[in-house]
Amino acid sequence: MTAFDTEDDILPRAGVIGWPVDHSRSPKLHGFWLAQYGLSGRYDKLPVPPEDVGAFLEALPKEPGFRGVNVTLPNKVAVLPYLAEIDPVAKRIGAVNTIVVREDGSLHGSNTDAFGFLASLRADAPKIWRAANGPAVVVGAGGASRAIIVALLDAGTPELRLTNRSRDKAEALAAEFGSRLQVVDWEERAASLAGTNLLVNTTSLGMGGQPPLDLPLDDLPVTALVNDIVYTPLETGLLAAARARGNPVVDGLGMLLHQGRPGFEAWFGVAPEVTMELRAAVLA
């Protein structure tokens, strides 16, 4: 059996590659859109270990109906050497989560996480947050943090304060992304919230089965928007604490849903919308 095995290869197809991939909610997301817009097509989970990524991508353009794939962990970096073209945002982030098979069979890679993050904030807090209105605090210096840093800098955030339990990782990002990114010691994370416009948790702290994020919010302006990219649970301890003190909050599900829009449009030819019905279907 291979990742491509199917009984109906003539339909337009896409999927998500990862290892493991069973946890992915992308099939629910894209399956909902296919049904909503009455499109013939399919979207599958495709288990591909990192050592098989090259062979998989070499075969991808030859598979009937395949338009491309999403890429999840641990393959977001492993795919890079096998792509004919990588868009500038993905190059800066250093990872690809969306691959499109072009008409000539070449593979184009992009990263829609930055797009999904900003689209989520703009959709769920349209009159509350503006990037240019003040500093942002980002907690965490992993792969998700890179995408959010790029998004915020490109959107015009004047100052970005980055705090991480391992300062060396944060320092590496500051060296890469420039002077608007300031590193804050983990011990000073609470004080760094003073005067900020946005707080984003990009770590797994607060996720089900993980320790909570220890971040007192006393110095956070009550007008600041708080976002947690964790969506299991949908309301993390951070969001509950922020909501209780009157801060506007945006949960992590929106980023997941909005990041899927560009790929779906490229593969199936329809620009999809994120709706409450979609949220309910993906959470079900």
Side-chain angles (χ1 to χ4, degrees), residues 42-212:
R42 55 184 295 169
Y43 184 101
D44 300 307
K45 295 178 181 179
L46 306 169
V48 179
E51 62 269 21
D52 292 344
V53 161
F56 175 89
L57 292 180
E58 182 179 355
L60 183 62
K62 305 168 188 175
E63 291 296 319
F66 251 98
R67 306 289 179 82
V69 291
N70 282 130
V71 186
T72 190
L73 296 175
N75 293 337
K76 290 186 175 186
V77 176
V79 300
L80 296 178
Y82 306 101
L83 304 176
E85 185 178 357
I86 302 170
D87 79 12
V89 171
K91 285 182 179 178
R92 291 171 63 208
I93 295 171
V96 159
N97 75 344
T98 304
I99 296 174
V100 174
V101 180
R102 291 184 160 169
E103 289 186 4
D104 63 0
S106 64
L107 301 180
H108 176 268
S110 61
N111 191 308
T112 63
D113 285 335
F115 167 85
F117 169 73
L118 287 179
S120 175
L121 296 193
R122 288 165 175 162
D124 295 338
K127 298 181 180 179
I128 296 170
W129 177 79
R130 294 289 185 274
N133 286 355
V137 172
V138 174
V139 181
S145 176
R146 292 182 64 91
I148 287 167
I149 288 169
V150 168
L152 290 174
L153 292 178
D154 287 356
T157 301
E159 178 189 343
L160 204 160
R161 303 168 188 170
L162 178 63
T163 185
N164 188 60
R165 286 175 292 181
S166 301
R167 183 182 172 96
D168 58 337
K169 291 183 179 179
E171 292 281 9
L173 291 181
E176 182 176 350
F177 289 112
S179 60
R180 278 192 290 158
L181 200 162
Q182 303 292 321
V183 175
V184 176
D185 283 333
W186 187 248
E187 291 74 16
E188 300 297 323
R189 63 193 181 280
S192 75
L193 301 178
T196 56
N197 181 41
L198 173 68
L199 166 62
V200 186
N201 175 41
T202 73
T203 75
S204 61
L205 295 173
M207 183 183 293
Q210 298 292 323

Side-chain angles (χ1 to χ4, degrees), residues 12-14 26-43 67-70 98-100 112 257-273 278:
R13 290 189 65 195
S26 291
K28 282 189 176 183
L29 168 60
H30 292 278
F32 179 93
W33 280 331
L34 286 169
Q36 180 183 21
Y37 297 108
L39 301 176
S40 295
R42 55 184 295 169
Y43 184 101
R67 306 289 179 82
V69 291
N70 282 130
T98 304
I99 296 174
V100 174
T112 63
L257 303 182
H258 284 282
Q259 65 78 31
R261 289 166 48 201
F264 187 89
E265 183 175 5
W267 301 323
F268 300 111
V270 171
E273 295 182 355
L278 173 64

